[in-house]
């Protein structure tokens, strides 16, 4: 492991080779937006919110999967990037039915935070109003497809950390949907261990604990890191 | 078989064929089958029997002969002529006296034939795809023999590099460089994959090659495997291509039996197996990383690159992926050498390209031309121009990832760079002609609908962006869009191009961008005047889209 020095938004930063631009930026106080990435899970580079400009590269690169290199010059908040991110978040709000005022995680939602951070105060795109349902068949949890942004954090945490692989994605494009097992109601899933990890990593109110009223649910954002540290280092520390 | 046996068998089969009084080639590719060529073939077979000519006259089915609009097509060796629009009543004459069918004879000195140059389709229509001996008689597997005995892996690679061949799957990446990347990787386990997913709407080039000359593709793959050091190959072919799958299975079995695939190929230490993997009809599975995921049995979704497949492909091993047409170019290239190949085409685009002509054009079908042929020659000399007295409006290349080329650029040479310069792409070979009755907004909407339906849904810009773009385009064709929608549409074009994860999303805006570039007034008329100049879109309060 060698130390790598690079420039992020005009600031000289250091990281370790093998680390991603995303991690090094955050460690150095530059907060790059993200949705599909969450520390402790394999990265898939899917949401495209963490795209950054790297000098000498024609294409925008996803920070969450781009390793740092010596002498790299990175820009994370250019006007172009902000415009792209705002439009991506706008697309998400128009895609499904995100009604914050009736959501359990209102004021504790990563999607909402992104909108605030990017100054997105209205939606110009046509709302698609898809007819989606909520699966409340599980004893303790629920899945409301209206609020799902298809980040697949739940799929990955269930497969990679819990080892159950209850969740997966069915169909494609705008019709994609998270399903339990082969499309069973969650409550009837044979593989679900009811561990609740998916609920904690879900960035929105799509996966929620039952029995919570509007704005009452707080997701434990440090939880995954806690488990991964415990597993990798044998230390149960927060 | 050994190399000597290969040459002996070739000589014997050629002699046998030459001794026949007449060998009748009946096109049994999709176009001709749809107008009854199977019945013609059967009738000819019965005629041979009833005229007592068994052993003297022979009938065989072949791949596409090109002029699909004149089907069913039949070629006779007796008078070396091509007949079109034949039916069962012509069978007797075709067997013993084809010259009496003069009215059906097709003039093969017409521009349609002489302006073409057939390398990839060289055997198509001339060999029976179900008989390996036909392929061997045509010189088949001799390129593999040359690679294994004369050139060696490095020499083979050199020929491909010298040839300047570029990938025919769309992006045009230099094939020699790709092979070299795979060859240089350490390790014994490597894979060669043939991309036969052909998903562009209206494209059937790869299908034709697979149905008409499957051994060509197998030989190309075997040469590639030899050059890069792979022992296992996969052909990822879409499930809709039932005949291609059947022919490939047969061809693989035949080649294995003759020791041209499998263990101890041509009695050497080289071994290479080929297996088929059947796609389930997702366009995105043609994207290389999605294709690999699908072969591995996972959900067919792209992943970010790097790493590229030559470094980490199937099961993390170095993998070479090429298109069907790319592989089909390899045997003649190796047989005749890289310099021979490079003598056709332009400075940066070598060889020929197969196109599927479709839309408002007289000679729909499959053609092959040298790179650099002007579009005008392809469409008017070979394609026969726009029928029905209407005016040429635009040509669309590259399908949902491509663009529209207006009349003013008809003299553009068709090569990778020239097409890119005018906002289109070479693509895989779809070439759709539009006349003045086509509405460009509707064309853009059609391709956007395709991308929307085919988006895998992994990344947000493509999954949700194509929906919004289609929504706007649809409203434009109904006269319900505003100039604000137009501005958002252009914003979305930029977003998808710059931020989508894979080529599908990155190129999905191309049909919109290119029609906006050349036909912006048409968009404005839809928005401002609620009028469709082509008279195609039905507008609210302006029913029938009156001119
Ligand atoms: C959405 C999408 C669809 C594609 N479909 C095909 C296809 O059907 N056939 C093909 O050969 N290449 C297709 N490609 C290109 C492949 O990813 C890859 O570049 C190609 O197979 C490489 O072969 P080549 O170098 O011989 O062109 C597609 C790419 C994208 C982004
Ligand atoms: S349910 Fe939550 S974690 Fe799972 S894909 Fe949807 S938004 Fe992401
Ligand atoms: S661009 Fe479209 S097809 Fe490609 S990964 Fe993204 S959603 Fe899937
Ligand atoms: S956080 Fe990097 S692409 Fe989603």
């Amino acid at each position: 492991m060698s130390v790598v020095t690079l420039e992020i938004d005009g600031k000289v930063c250091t990281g370790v080779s093998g680390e991603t631009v995303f991690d090094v930026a955050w460690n150095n106080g530059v907060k790059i937006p993200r949705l599909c990435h969450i520390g402790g899970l394999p990265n898939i580079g899917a949401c495209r919110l963490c795209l950054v400009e790297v000098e000498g590269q024609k294409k925008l690169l996803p920070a969450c999967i781009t390793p740092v290199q010596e002498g790299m010059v990175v820009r994370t908040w250019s006007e172009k990037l902000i415009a792209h991110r705002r439009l991506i978040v706008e697309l998400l709000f128009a895609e499904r039915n995100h009604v914050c005022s009736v959501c359990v995680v209102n004021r504790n939602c990563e999607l909402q935070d992104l909108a605030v951070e990017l100054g997105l105060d209205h939606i110009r795109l046509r709302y698609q109003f898809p007819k989606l349902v909520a699966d409340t068949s599980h004893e303790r949890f629920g899945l409301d497809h209206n609020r799902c942004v298809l980040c697949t954090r739940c799929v990955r945490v269930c497969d990679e950390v819990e080892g159950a692989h209850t969740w997966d994605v069915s169909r494609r494009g705008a019709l994609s949907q998270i399903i339990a097992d082969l499309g069973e109601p969650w409550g009837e899933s044979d593989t679900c261990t009811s561990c609740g990890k998916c609920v904690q990593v879900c960035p929105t109110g799509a996966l929620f604990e039952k029995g919570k009223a509007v704005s009452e649910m707080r997701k434990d954002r440090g939880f995954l890191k806690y488990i991964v540290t415990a597993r990798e280092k044998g230390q149960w520390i927060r | 078989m050994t190399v000597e046996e290969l040459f002996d068998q070739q000589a014997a089969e050629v002699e046998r064929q030459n001794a026949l009084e007449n060998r009748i080639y009946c096109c049994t590719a999709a176009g001709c089958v749809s107008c009854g060529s199977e019945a013609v073939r059967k009738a000819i077979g019965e005629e041979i029997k009833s005229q007592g000519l068994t052993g003297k006259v022979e009938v065989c089915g072949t791949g596409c002969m090109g002029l699909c609009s004149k089907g069913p097509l039949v070629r006779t060796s007796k008078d070396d002529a091509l007949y079109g629009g034949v039916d069962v009543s012509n069978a007797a004459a075709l067997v013993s006296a084809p010259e009496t069918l003069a009215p059906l004879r097709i003039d093969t000195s017409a521009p349609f034939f002489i302006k073409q140059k057939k390398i990839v389709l060289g055997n198509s229509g001339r060999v029976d795809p179900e008989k390996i001996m036909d392929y061997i008689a045509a010189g088949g597997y001799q390129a593999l023999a040359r690679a294994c005995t004369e050139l060696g892996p490095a020499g083979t690679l050199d020929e491909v590099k010298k040839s300047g061949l570029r990938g025919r799957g769309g992006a045009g990446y230099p094939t020699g460089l790709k092979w070299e990347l795979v060859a240089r990787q350490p390790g014994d386990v490597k894979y060669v994959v043939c991309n036969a997913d052909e998903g562009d709407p209206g494209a059937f080039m790869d299908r034709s090659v697979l149905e008409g000359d499957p051994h060509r593709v197998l030989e190309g793959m075997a040469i590639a495997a030899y050059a890069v050091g792979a022992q296992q190959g996969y052909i990822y072919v879409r499930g809709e291509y039932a005949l291609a799958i059947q022919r490939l299975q047969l061809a693989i079995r035949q080649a294995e039996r003759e020791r041209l695939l499998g263990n101890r190929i041509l009695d050497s230490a080289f071994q290479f197996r080929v297996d088929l993997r059947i796609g389930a009809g997702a366009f995105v599975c043609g994207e290389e990383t999605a294709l690999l995921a699908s072969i591995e049995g996972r959900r067919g979704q792209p992943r970010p690159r790097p790493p590229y497949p030559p470094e980490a492909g199937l099961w993390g091993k170095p993998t070479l992926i090429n298109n069907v047409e790319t592989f089909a170019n390899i045997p003649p290239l190796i047989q005749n050498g890289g310099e021979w190949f490079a003598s056709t085409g332009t400075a940066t685009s070598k060889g020929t390209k197969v196109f599927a002509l479709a839309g408002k054009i007289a000679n729909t079908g499959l053609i092959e031309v040298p790179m650099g042929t002007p579009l005008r020659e392809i469409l008017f000399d070979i394609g026969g121009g726009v029928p029905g007295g209407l005016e040429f409006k635009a040509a669309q290349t590259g399908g949902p990832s491509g663009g529209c080329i207006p009349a003013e650029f008809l003299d553009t040479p068709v090569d990778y760079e020239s097409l890119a310069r005018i906002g289109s792409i070479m693509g895989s070979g779809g070439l759709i002609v539009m006349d003045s009755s086509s509405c460009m907004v509707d064309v853009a909407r059609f391709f956007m609908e395709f991308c929307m339906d085919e988006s895998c849904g992994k990344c947000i810009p493509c999954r949700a962006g194509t929906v919004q773009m289609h929504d706007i385009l649809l409203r434009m064709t109904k006269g319900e869009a505003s100039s604000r929608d137009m501005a958002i549409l252009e914003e979305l074009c930029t977003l998808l191009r710059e931020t989508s994860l894979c080529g599908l999303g990155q190129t999905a805006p191309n049909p919109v961008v290119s029609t906006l570039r050349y036909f912006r007034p048409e968009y404005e008329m839809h928005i401002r005047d609620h009028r469709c100049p082509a008279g195609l879109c039905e507008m609210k309060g302006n029913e029938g889209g009156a001119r």
Side-chain angles (χ1 to χ4, degrees):
Chain A
M1 280 207 290
S2 58
V3 173
V4 175
T5 311
L6 65 158
E7 193 187 307
I8 302 179
D9 292 344
K11 188 171 154 183
V12 177
C13 302
T14 52
V16 176
S17 68
E19 278 186 306
T20 62
V21 171
F22 186 92
D23 286 342
V24 173
W26 274 63
N27 292 342
N28 284 277
V30 179
K31 308 258 182 266
I32 302 174
R34 52 87 190 263
L35 201 51
C36 63
H37 164 85
I38 177 168
L41 287 184
N43 289 310
I44 53 170
C47 74
R48 318 306 282 170
L49 282 166
C50 72
L51 288 179
V52 294
E53 292 172 19
V54 175
E55 223 171 82
Q57 294 280 339
K58 262 191 285 173
K59 287 194 168 175
L60 304 176
L61 300 181
C64 67
I65 48 169
T66 304
V68 285
Q69 269 163 6
E70 184 64 38
M72 228 178 190
V73 179
V74 183
R75 273 158 61 88
T76 71
W77 282 96
S78 70
E79 250 171 59
K80 175 162 98 175
L81 291 172
I82 295 171
H84 281 340
R85 285 175 191 150
R86 198 179 279 155
L87 191 46
I88 290 174
V89 175
E90 198 178 338
L91 280 168
L92 281 179
F93 273 102
E95 182 180 37
R96 293 201 173 179
N97 307 304
H98 296 278
V99 189
C100 302
S101 56
V102 298
C103 182
V104 280
V105 298
N106 190 6
R107 318 199 70 186
N108 182 26
C109 169
E110 289 186 43
L111 180 62
Q112 208 177 43
D113 293 348
L114 277 168
V116 172
E117 186 177 15
L118 294 165
L120 185 72
D121 48 14
H122 68 291
I123 305 297
R124 304 163 301 160
L125 305 168
R126 281 243 294 208
Y127 285 104
Q128 297 298 310
F129 297 126
K131 289 203 168 52
L132 297 167
V133 292
D135 178 350
T136 53
S137 59
H138 192 279
E139 213 187 318
R140 288 164 50 208
F141 313 119
L143 165 57
D144 187 349
H145 293 288
N146 290 293
R147 304 169 186 156
C148 173
V149 293
L150 295 168
C151 66
T152 70
R153 286 186 190 179
C154 54
V155 177
R156 285 173 284 152
V157 80
C158 185
D159 181 34
E160 305 271 342
V161 182
E162 179 61 5
H165 203 141
T166 300
W167 298 120
D168 215 319
V169 184
S170 78
R171 308 188 69 179
R172 68 175 178 233
L175 301 175
S176 302
Q177 219 177 64
I178 298 294
I179 51 165
D181 291 348
L182 295 172
E184 267 82 26
W186 190 1
E188 289 166 30
S189 161
D190 289 333
T191 56
C192 174
T193 63
S194 301
C195 72
K197 292 186 177 69
C198 54
V199 178
Q200 296 308 327
V201 298
C202 176
T204 70
L207 285 164
F208 59 89
E209 282 165 4
K210 282 185 171 175
K212 295 269 162 67
V214 172
S215 302
E216 270 188 9
M217 194 185 159
R218 293 279 176 277
K219 296 210 172 180
D220 184 351
R221 301 288 179 208
F223 144 92
L224 187 59
K225 200 164 175 208
Y226 169 64
I227 295 192
V228 172
T229 313
R231 197 164 70 164
E232 285 175 1
K233 304 196 178 134
Q235 298 171 321
W236 297 89
I237 45 166
R238 278 273 183 178
Chain B
M1 58 176 77
T2 63
V3 174
E4 290 77 52
E5 280 164 353
L6 179 69
F7 282 90
D8 290 349
Q9 299 243 10
Q10 184 208 10
E13 174 67 13
V14 168
E15 196 175 325
R16 189 193 71 80
Q17 286 183 12
N18 288 343
L20 292 169
E21 274 173 29
N22 194 5
R23 196 166 199 248
I24 304 166
Y25 301 86
C26 195
C27 176
T28 48
C32 284
V33 164
S34 69
C35 40
S37 73
E38 283 293 354
V40 172
R41 179 187 175 183
K42 217 169 128 220
I44 295 174
E46 281 158 13
E47 254 327 302
I48 295 175
K49 262 190 233 143
S50 67
Q51 296 187 20
L53 292 170
T54 312
K56 292 188 186 139
V57 177
E58 196 175 270
V59 61
C60 59
T62 73
C64 184
M65 297 184 176
L67 200 55
C68 303
S69 55
K70 298 257 165 62
L73 296 166
V74 173
R75 185 190 304 278
T76 48
S77 72
K78 189 174 184 198
D79 54 346
D80 190 24
L82 181 67
Y83 297 92
V86 299
D87 60 42
V88 282
S89 67
N90 304 126
L94 283 167
V95 170
S96 47
E99 58 283 354
T100 58
L101 293 173
L104 297 180
R105 196 170 168 150
I106 290 171
D107 176 12
T108 49
S109 63
F112 178 83
F113 294 97
I114 56 169
K115 295 245 170 172
Q116 292 197 51
K117 174 161 183 166
K118 303 223 167 172
I119 295 177
V120 172
L121 300 175
N123 283 341
S124 197
R126 297 183 175 275
V127 303
D128 185 336
E130 295 184 354
K131 297 202 182 100
I132 192 171
M133 276 310 152
D134 258 38
Y135 183 66
I136 288 175
Y141 290 105
Q142 289 180 12
L144 179 62
R146 175 160 195 241
C148 294
T149 53
E150 198 182 309
L151 297 172
T156 306
L157 190 62
D158 270 347
E159 293 300 327
V160 178
K161 275 168 71 183
K162 250 193 282 175
S163 73
L165 173 64
R166 294 168 66 171
R168 302 295 195 238
Y173 189 83
T175 305
L177 286 185
K178 205 188 255 187
W179 286 28
E180 191 170 39
L181 284 174
V182 182
R184 270 214 219 120
Q185 293 290 324
D188 310 328
V189 183
K190 295 179 187 176
Y191 297 100
V192 168
V193 174
C194 173
N195 189 340
D197 196 48
E198 195 165 51
D200 285 13
F204 55 95
M205 300 75 55
D206 295 349
R207 171 184 177 167
S208 253
V209 173
L210 294 174
E211 290 181 358
D213 200 8
H215 284 287
R216 177 74 86 81
V217 179
L218 296 178
E219 186 181 359
M221 287 178 75
I223 294 170
Y226 178 74
V228 305
Q231 271 136 44
Q232 174 68 47
Y234 292 99
I235 304 178
Y236 190 89
V237 51
R238 56 184 299 179
E240 291 90 329
Y241 287 180
L243 184 61
I245 293 169
Q246 189 191 320
R247 295 239 162 107
L248 278 169
Q249 281 168 336
L250 183 64
I252 292 170
R253 266 205 309 278
Q254 291 171 339
E256 279 176 353
R257 202 178 312 125
E258 302 291 346
R259 285 279 161 86
L260 295 162
L261 281 182
N263 295 330
R264 300 200 56 77
I265 290 172
L266 289 167
D267 211 28
S268 73
F270 172 49
Q271 52 174 21
F272 181 58
R273 277 187 55 86
V274 178
D275 286 304
L276 298 186
R277 286 293 178 270
I278 314 297
F283 174 63
V284 75
C285 284
E287 196 280 338
E288 54 188 24
T289 59
L291 185 148
L292 296 179
S294 180
I295 292 182
E296 290 175 9
R298 293 186 287 118
R299 185 174 159 89
Q301 268 187 330
R303 61 155 174 82
R305 300 170 303 178
Y308 288 86
E311 295 159 50
L314 270 182
W315 297 288
K317 302 293 181 192
T319 302
L320 172 74
I321 304 187
N322 276 132
N323 165 262
V324 171
E325 194 181 328
T326 313
F327 281 125
N329 269 301
I330 297 297
L333 186 165
I334 293 299
Q335 181 80 314
N336 303 306
E339 271 154 29
W340 166 83
F341 189 87
S343 65
T344 305
T346 68
T348 54
S349 308
K350 301 296 186 193
T352 59
K353 181 76 195 87
V354 180
F355 286 101
L357 297 185
K360 304 294 170 59
I361 188 152
N363 302 331
T364 53
L366 212 61
I367 61 148
E368 181 172 355
V369 289
M371 290 275 188
T373 305
L375 193 57
R376 187 186 299 281
E377 238 171 74
I378 298 180
L379 298 181
F380 291 88
D381 298 348
I382 300 174
V386 180
L390 285 178
E391 216 174 297
F392 170 85
K393 185 166 182 181
Q396 212 275 350
T397 64
S401 320
C404 288
I405 305 168
E408 62 199 278
F409 291 112
L410 269 175
D411 292 311
T412 308
V414 172
D415 61 57
Y416 291 99
E417 280 73 23
S418 306
L419 287 179
R421 218 171 294 127
I422 56 174
S424 193
I425 59 166
M426 175 75 77
S428 56
L431 185 45
I432 304 168
V433 180
M434 288 167 274
D435 65 16
S436 49
S437 70
S438 316
C439 166
M440 302 318 272
V441 182
D442 191 58
V443 168
R445 188 208 56 77
F446 168 81
F447 284 116
M448 192 53 68
E449 184 177 14
F450 180 85
C451 292
M452 173 178 80
D453 289 342
E454 295 296 335
S455 164
C456 81
K458 181 170 181 172
C459 71
I460 305 166
C462 169
R463 180 183 78 227
T466 51
V467 170
Q468 293 291 343
M469 291 171 82
H470 179 257
D471 186 274
I472 294 174
L473 290 162
L474 183 68
R475 281 187 284 124
M476 282 182 177
T477 60
K478 291 182 179 166
E480 294 168 4
S482 66
S483 52
R484 210 177 80 128
D485 287 319
M486 180 78 145
I488 295 176
L489 181 66
E490 296 197 72
E491 259 183 62
L492 286 165
C493 284
T494 315
L495 180 80
L496 265 71
R497 277 191 157 179
E498 295 185 2
T499 68
S500 296
L501 193 163
C502 86
L504 194 156
Q506 287 160 13
T507 58
N510 287 1
V512 179
V513 172
S514 87
T515 47
L516 269 174
R517 178 164 162 189
Y518 299 119
F519 301 95
R520 190 176 279 268
E522 218 167 291
Y523 278 84
E524 284 164 356
M525 259 184 254
H526 280 77
I527 294 168
R528 205 183 40 224
D529 314 330
H530 306 281
R531 201 168 74 81
C532 173
L536 191 84
C537 304
E538 291 192 13
M539 300 282 182
K540 242 199 194 139
N542 199 358
E543 262 73 31
R547 276 156 197 266

